[in-house]
Amino acid sequence: MNRKYNPGKIEEKWQRYWENEKTFKASEEGAKKKYYLLEMFPYPSGRIHMGHVRNYTIGDVVARYKKMSGYNVLHPIGWDSFGMPAENAAIEHGIPPAKWTNENIDSMKKQLKRMGFSYDWDREISTCEPEYYRWEQLFFLWMYEKGLAYKKGGSVNWCPTCKTVLANEQVEAGLCWRCDSEVTEQYFDQWFFRITSYVEELLEYCDKLPGWPERVLTMQRNWIGKSHGCELVFPMADSDDVIKVFTTRQDTIFGATFMLIAAEHPLVMELAKGKPVEQDVRAFVERVKKQDKMMRTSDYYEKEGVFLDAFCLNPATNKKMPIYAANFVLADYGTGCVMAVPTHDQRDFEFAEKYGLEKIVVIQNPDNPLDAETMTEAYVDEGILVNSGKFDGMKNLQALEDIAQYLESAGRGKKTIEYRLRDWGISRQRYWGTPIPVINCGKCGVVPVPEEDLPVVLPKDVALTGEGDSPLGKIDSFINVACPNCGGAAKRETDTFDTFVESSWYFHRFCSADCAEKPGLDRAKVDYWMPVDQYIGGIEHAILHLLYARFYTKMLRDFGVVGVDEPFANLLTQGMVCKETMRCGTHGYLLPEEVTDGKCVHCECEVTIGKTEKMSKSLKNVVDPNYIIDEYGADTARIFCLFAAPPERDLEWSDQGVDGSFRFLSRVWRIVVDYLDDIRDVTPFAGGEELDGDLKILRRKTHQTIKKVTTDIEDRFHFNTAISAVMELVNTLYQTKRPRAEDAKALSVIRETLEDIIILLSPIVPHMTEELWEMVGAKQQLSGTPWPSFDEAVAAEEEITIVVQVNGKVRSRIQVAASESDETIKELALNDGKIKQFVGDKQVIKEIYVPKKLVNIVVK
């Protein structure tokens, strides 16, 4: 048997075997407990990257472990195949999006299979196929009928040169990504899902997801943004109109001295219309629209505004307040209007300082009295109300309720609850997406496509130029139809769904991927598999995808299609894969293969090593998984991704780490091969006989390792420490004296250890371990072999008694494991309760240690 580990042929062999035998095909079995493991499905970009490798390896380890632990495992895969990249590729290269997408799927599928992932490929789905999206068109019709889908005006990014709508990602610094023209904001009719109908349940269930990271739940709660406060009414000074403002700080109403309105709010131009300031206001609005919304609201961004030559009245004091348009107020939060209290809000303070606006202190600092004229920053802590009429002298937070009642009784406000969450805009003026199944009739208005006419199939023979409206509007056979109601001439909707719609229910479809009967989900199978027991994906999806998936599940539940309240019982958000950047002064960022001996291969200039950042094509700090597989094998790529860092943390790429991973696998391979002839006809040790010396130590270490690996995978997903434990066991086996060929008992202990090493590593490096399992003569396929159990008595360390003295007098005795380190023993002695009493506040001069026997603590 060859002692050299050669992964190439081994991996191909077992990949063929798993595929031919359908080893990982899932079915609904009543006898076993189910386990549904799912990683967020990929967009078919054409090639998998190391982020994919890490994400899917994490999931594969858990899926294989659960299968060996006796679970009935569902581990499916599919493709989130609609999206802009396919459309952009079609424009750039003249390739139909469907062709580009399907070729990419074929390529990535081969790459995923080379990694040995345990997918049930019979459940593979692609969201751009009518067999998939016909059902979400059906769900849309149901939602439309119930008022959960509706159409209203909404703003979009518009490139006047390309004459097309741009997604946010296609707007770079206010310019079109394709032609560098200034992007403007246009208002079009848009379709929305009424996600706000589920806002309270979405918020409530954030407290019922114990298997989710608190960080993600906090992000979801903040995005939903429930606030208890007041809606205040500010009358206009020169008309009967009013401005409504939502605030949680009605305790500061007496200090509101000016009004701020979001620059993009329609009210801004209404108030400025026909006034001398109109042109200045319009210029300001257009400039602010090009600013990044997140940047505008950040603390360090410059606060800007323009006076609208208009005034409103403070509802508590009746004083006139000037009205400004401001860049740090957003139209889609609250009412888009904010009462400004400069003495008690830092952004308002900076704005007032810049434009010379009045400041009134209404919350006094009891320890350091405030003067509005000398303040250098806003006072944002608690205090005592002043300049607040009959509420003077009250603690400001205690006055919130009283002031709310006062304003409500005066007809100037009311207590209310506001949410940050807005309805989900699902319209996209793009081609490559699911057609929205409605027809627009001049006589009947918006008419839903009859269910029997679904799916509305996306035409594939479309010429894409990237200019103008959606190309669907130019295809007569698609757009021109008869109205289902009156039979008259009508036109189809040319908008397509936001691709988040497809990813909001695919996990349900996996439960019955071949279901062709309405509604595309077999309820019995969905009830068997759902919810997903473990969902794995990037933190970048913590808000939108996960929130939309939760909403969609609740919607489907209410239509009787599914029976769960939440789609994902447990969530793991894995970290990114990072690598140092390399840059040449002449050629910019370089790929790893463009650097040899620290020099650029193009010009032989010295290369500058930059900081470690997330792998990305733009920085060229990427590693091609195919290269790693060709050079080291898929199992090496898998174990490195798991060993280098815990899954929730970023992984820093290391070529040395990859080499080390390969060397470890080679060590495992060699020791199994070296023992093959001796253990071939030996059964594993099963206890019942006394062991001593190396054999006792080896067996104890074996059972300790089983316990450690099981705990690390089951409870924490800490694969790095699990692998480390197996490495220690392999080292112990190498250090164990080789038994004589006739020593059957000793060889049975060796066989037990070797088998357990193979099994413990099998979810991590499945190809090599399947081969080794076959080599040692096992009868059952490794992936179907039960996970090993450990014997607590065998795993327990032998204990010894350590005498602990203080200044030479015996003061205590402690029990420690015989294998405990000297430093740990001394630390345990110092922390013993009795010893602490004798030492007290005295200074420890030194510790006298007799190994494994005594610790003498000398104090003065």
Side-chain angles (χ1 to χ4, degrees), residues 708-721:
K708 172 68 173 170
V709 173
T710 302
T711 301
D712 283 350
I713 295 178
E714 182 74 42
D715 298 343
R716 305 189 304 157
F717 290 174
H718 279 198
F719 312 113
N720 58 326
T721 53

Side-chain angles (χ1 to χ4, degrees), residues 306-566:
V306 61
F307 180 46
L308 302 182
D309 196 10
F311 295 86
C312 61
L313 302 178
N314 184 309
T317 66
N318 217 38
K319 290 183 178 180
K320 290 178 69 174
M321 298 168 51
I323 304 174
Y324 282 74
N327 67 337
F328 61 95
V329 180
L330 299 180
D332 55 3
Y333 184 68
T335 65
C337 305
V338 174
M339 68 174 198
V341 185
T343 49
H344 304 294
D345 181 279
Q346 185 60 30
R347 296 189 304 176
D348 296 347
F349 181 89
E350 293 172 17
F351 194 91
E353 286 283 290
K354 183 171 184 175
Y355 295 101
L357 298 170
E358 183 182 12
K359 297 191 289 288
I360 300 174
V361 173
V362 291
I363 300 176
Q364 190 57 264
N365 182 349
D367 300 321
N368 187 17
L370 304 169
D371 181 350
E373 297 300 320
T374 60
M375 290 176 70
T376 58
E377 63 180 0
Y379 178 72
V380 296
D381 295 327
E382 297 178 30
I384 305 300
L385 289 181
V386 295
N387 299 318
S388 299
K390 66 178 182 178
F391 303 104
D392 283 356
M394 295 181 68
K395 292 182 178 180
N396 68 300
L397 295 184
Q398 292 179 358
L400 284 168
E401 180 66 20
D402 290 346
I403 293 176
Q405 291 179 359
Y406 164 73
L407 292 168
E408 192 159 2
S409 64
R412 294 291 179 92
K414 62 179 180 179
K415 288 187 289 185
T416 187
I417 296 173
E418 181 72 21
Y419 299 92
R420 183 174 184 265
L421 182 67
R422 293 292 180 261
D423 283 339
W424 173 11
I426 60 160
S427 281
R428 296 295 179 268
Q429 291 74 33
R430 314 297 302 175
Y431 158 70
W432 190 237
T434 298
I436 296 178
V438 296
I439 293 169
N440 299 300
C441 174
K443 179 180 179 182
C444 304
V446 174
V447 181
V449 172
E451 287 187 12
E452 60 269 22
D453 292 343
L454 297 180
V456 177
V457 177
L458 184 71
K460 293 187 177 180
D461 53 341
V462 176
L464 296 177
T465 64
E467 297 183 0
D469 298 331
S470 169
L472 293 176
K474 301 180 179 69
I475 304 173
D476 289 343
S477 60
F478 175 82
I479 193 169
N480 294 317
V481 291
C483 173
N485 281 353
C486 69
K491 293 185 181 295
R492 287 195 190 279
E493 175 65 70
T494 58
D495 283 1
T496 53
F497 283 142
D498 174 12
T499 54
F500 273 120
V501 178
E502 282 82 58
S503 60
S504 292
W505 71 284
Y506 76 104
F507 38 87
H508 293 296
R509 178 66 175 173
F510 275 138
C511 299
S512 53
D514 58 352
C515 180
E517 302 298 320
K518 176 183 174 180
L521 297 172
D522 184 315
R523 177 63 189 266
K525 293 181 178 180
V526 173
D527 285 349
Y528 176 84
W529 289 113
M530 288 297 293
V532 175
D533 294 282
Q534 183 65 59
Y535 198 38
I536 302 172
I539 190 68
E540 66 271 18
H541 300 295
I543 298 176
L544 295 184
H545 163 59
L546 291 173
L547 191 65
Y548 293 156
R550 295 179 61 213
F551 156 68
Y552 217 84
T553 294
K554 295 174 189 299
M555 177 272 293
L556 291 177
R557 175 204 62 195
D558 289 350
F559 282 116
V561 176
V562 304
V564 295
D565 297 315
E566 290 284 341

Side-chain angles (χ1 to χ4, degrees), residues 676-724:
L676 271 182
D677 291 339
D678 291 342
I679 66 169
R680 198 180 304 278
D681 299 320
V682 176
T683 57
F685 188 75
E689 297 181 66
E690 285 295 319
L691 299 174
D692 56 21
D694 281 358
L695 294 178
K696 186 172 185 178
I697 293 171
L698 179 62
R699 190 157 195 259
R700 181 191 302 132
K701 189 66 172 177
T702 299
H703 282 255
Q704 289 173 343
T705 304
I706 296 170
K707 180 179 181 180
K708 172 68 173 170
V709 173
T710 302
T711 301
D712 283 350
I713 295 178
E714 182 74 42
D715 298 343
R716 305 189 304 157
F717 290 174
H718 279 198
F719 312 113
N720 58 326
T721 53
I723 294 167
S724 181

Side-chain angles (χ1 to χ4, degrees), residues 678-794:
D678 291 342
I679 66 169
R680 198 180 304 278
D681 299 320
V682 176
T683 57
F685 188 75
E689 297 181 66
E690 285 295 319
L691 299 174
D692 56 21
D694 281 358
L695 294 178
K696 186 172 185 178
I697 293 171
L698 179 62
R699 190 157 195 259
R700 181 191 302 132
K701 189 66 172 177
T702 299
H703 282 255
Q704 289 173 343
T705 304
I706 296 170
K707 180 179 181 180
K708 172 68 173 170
V709 173
T710 302
T711 301
D712 283 350
I713 295 178
E714 182 74 42
D715 298 343
R716 305 189 304 157
F717 290 174
H718 279 198
F719 312 113
N720 58 326
T721 53
I723 294 167
S724 181
V726 178
M727 288 177 171
E728 290 181 17
L729 178 58
V730 171
N731 288 338
T732 302
L733 180 55
Y734 265 100
Q735 294 161 7
T736 300
K737 185 178 178 181
R738 190 181 183 99
R740 299 187 308 275
E742 61 272 16
D743 191 343
K745 183 171 76 171
L747 289 173
S748 69
V749 174
I750 297 293
R751 174 153 192 141
E752 179 193 18
T753 297
L754 284 172
E755 285 194 1
D756 286 335
I757 288 172
I758 293 170
I759 295 173
L760 294 177
L761 284 175
S762 64
I764 298 164
V765 287
H767 307 89
M768 185 187 81
T769 50
E770 284 277 18
E771 185 71 11
L772 293 175
W773 193 245
E774 184 180 74
M775 286 161 54
V776 299
K779 304 301 181 186
Q780 186 179 8
Q781 183 189 348
L782 181 55
S783 58
T785 299
W787 189 256
S789 58
F790 57 89
D791 187 322
E792 285 280 13
V794 175

